Amino acid sequence: MSPSADQSAVLWDAETLARIRTLQLVARQTVDGLLLGDHRSRRVGASVEFADYQTYQPGDDLRHLDWKVLGRSDRLVTRRYQLETEWPCMIVLDASGDLSTGGGQGPRQRRWLSRLFGNEQPKPRPELDGTKFGFSVKLAASLAWAMVRRNEPVGLCVLGGETQGDRLLLPKQGRSQLARIVGTLADLRPAGEADLAEGLAAVGPRIRSRSLVALVSDFMEEPGDWGPSLLALAKRRCDLAAFHVVDRQEMELDFDQPALFFSPEGGEPLQIDPQGAQREFAEVRDAWLLEVERSLRGHRARYYPCLTERGLDAPLRALFQGNPGQPLSLERPA
């Protein structure tokens, strides 16, 4: 897969090209490691799409007669159908500023890089390892790789963030589409707000019914805002998979000294003594995690918790094997 395929108008810088190669390698290793077999169709029964009409012949199934045509033209015709076998996937990626947090921030994240053209100094990209954003990008790339390997159409919608690439790629098949998706992911920087409700509402009319909508987010927005948009997709018979990306350090308030906390998306900084606020913080955190999970399930989405310290294979395996996600647990493995 060439990173420049169908993207001749985009000039990637050296760091972006390196990230493209890394994402390709991670996605290939993740998908190959899962040894995914053919997925089971989620469409029940004879799920078919109208193809054309043909003149009725004795012996044809009377259930396929089109009585409306008969009433209008006094002609006996039967409806022919084309079996639907595709499972289009739209990956909706939250690239808001809050996704840049995590335990893996290092010197490279504080380094500012020049583009190959102009004097613009872009914001640094978070590391691909150890941050919510890095985990989300690798998950999206791996899912896109898996769908292309299955010859399924796949697309990408980026909510928030900054990128030279396409923010909306409607589902298509092929390696050139995969190259566009990976290129966009590699160049992406988290910034601003995602506005999940508006983004999902905009995506809905652009995709086919019965599509897989894979939403990758930390869901740091009010569930009451994005819930109705999810439900609208469910009513269009879309298959909703919600990947809830969580960083342990962010969830455990694991700091020794009082510190000034702030959100990359804005708002007033807040000074907190982690030792004194542990109990109250844990109560608020647990209530919020439960609210997010219940809201997703209540709006017909399957819930897949993703801790950044764990691998990509568990949520992807659960998705393709049709296993429902389990409640998020912050307990460390023995």
Side-chain angles (χ1 to χ4, degrees):
M1 177 179 62
S2 171
S4 60
D6 291 325
Q7 293 193 9
S8 57
V10 177
L11 181 61
W12 301 125
D13 58 37
E15 186 190 19
T16 302
L17 293 173
R19 289 169 77 94
I20 287 174
R21 290 191 290 270
T22 299
L23 286 175
Q24 290 174 342
L25 179 61
V26 169
R28 183 186 297 115
Q29 290 178 339
T30 300
V31 174
D32 290 348
L34 290 176
L35 299 177
L36 300 173
D38 292 334
H39 72 264
R40 296 180 180 179
S41 173
R42 296 189 177 278
R43 294 181 283 276
V44 179
S47 177
V48 291
E49 182 178 0
F50 173 72
D52 56 18
Y53 290 106
Q54 72 174 8
T55 302
Y56 172 78
Q57 301 292 331
D60 287 347
D61 193 336
L62 294 177
R63 292 177 299 177
H64 294 159
L65 275 175
D66 193 312
W67 300 104
K68 292 182 180 179
V69 173
L70 177 62
R72 290 195 304 265
S73 62
D74 200 28
R75 292 173 53 231
L76 286 174
V77 297
T78 58
R79 296 170 64 91
R80 295 200 304 174
Y81 300 88
Q82 179 179 353
L83 183 65
E84 290 182 90
T85 58
E86 289 185 341
W87 193 32
C89 173
M90 172 61 82
I91 303 169
V92 181
L93 177 63
D94 177 350
S96 60
D98 277 344
L99 267 290
S100 63
T101 60
Q105 301 169 359
R108 288 183 64 248
Q109 185 169 343
R110 295 188 293 270
R111 189 186 346 140
W112 285 55
L113 298 173
S114 299
R115 295 188 187 276
L116 296 179
F117 51 92
N119 296 319
E120 181 184 2
Q121 295 287 333
K123 296 178 181 179
R125 300 181 183 94
E127 301 285 356
L128 289 176
D129 294 323
T131 62
K132 293 191 297 183
F133 181 76
F135 185 96
S136 300
V137 165
K138 291 190 295 183
L139 179 63
S142 299
L143 180 55
W145 189 283
M147 299 305 290
V148 168
R149 214 182 82 169
R150 294 164 175 271
N151 296 317
E152 302 286 9
V154 61
L156 175 69
C157 176
V158 177
L159 304 182
E162 299 174 353
T163 181
Q164 296 183 83
D166 297 302
R167 302 186 67 85
L168 177 62
L169 292 164
L170 296 179
K172 292 182 180 179
Q173 293 176 320
R175 291 298 181 109
S176 61
Q177 175 76 343
L178 180 60
R180 286 189 288 267
I181 290 175
V182 173
T184 296
L185 294 174
D187 181 66
L188 190 59
R189 290 173 170 81
E193 298 180 1
D195 197 344
L196 298 177
E198 182 178 342
L200 291 171
V203 165
R206 308 291 299 275
I207 59 176
R208 290 164 41 182
S209 61
R210 302 188 179 92
S211 295
L212 168 64
V213 178
L215 177 56
V216 183
S217 174
D218 63 356
F219 294 99
M220 290 285 189
E221 297 181 11
E222 288 295 330
D225 294 338
W226 47 256
S229 295
L230 269 182
L231 188 59
L233 287 171
K235 289 181 178 179
R236 295 188 70 246
R237 293 180 290 179
C238 288
D239 185 11
L240 306 178
F243 297 91
H244 187 190
V245 181
V246 175
D247 178 76
R248 181 183 296 279
Q249 186 174 9
E250 192 176 42
M251 290 292 104
E252 291 186 342
L253 205 63
D254 188 16
F255 300 92
D256 297 328
Q257 302 295 327
L260 190 65
F261 293 84
F262 68 95
S263 169
E265 297 182 19
E268 292 295 325
L270 184 63
Q271 189 167 3
I272 297 178
D273 178 0
Q275 300 302 317
Q278 282 287 355
R279 180 174 179 180
E280 184 178 357
F281 176 82
E283 293 175 354
V284 173
R285 175 202 65 202
D286 292 345
W288 173 74
L289 289 172
L290 184 61
E291 181 184 12
V292 170
E293 179 189 358
R294 287 181 173 177
S295 295
L296 288 169
R297 296 186 191 276
H299 291 95
R300 306 184 190 177
R302 285 172 291 118
Y303 178 72
Y304 299 100
C306 305
L307 273 175
T308 57
E309 66 190 44
R310 299 177 184 172
L312 301 167
D313 56 339
L316 288 175
R317 181 181 291 109
L319 171 69
F320 284 103
Q321 292 181 351
N323 298 325
Q326 299 299 316
L328 178 65
S329 172
L330 292 174
E331 293 184 4
R332 299 181 184 273

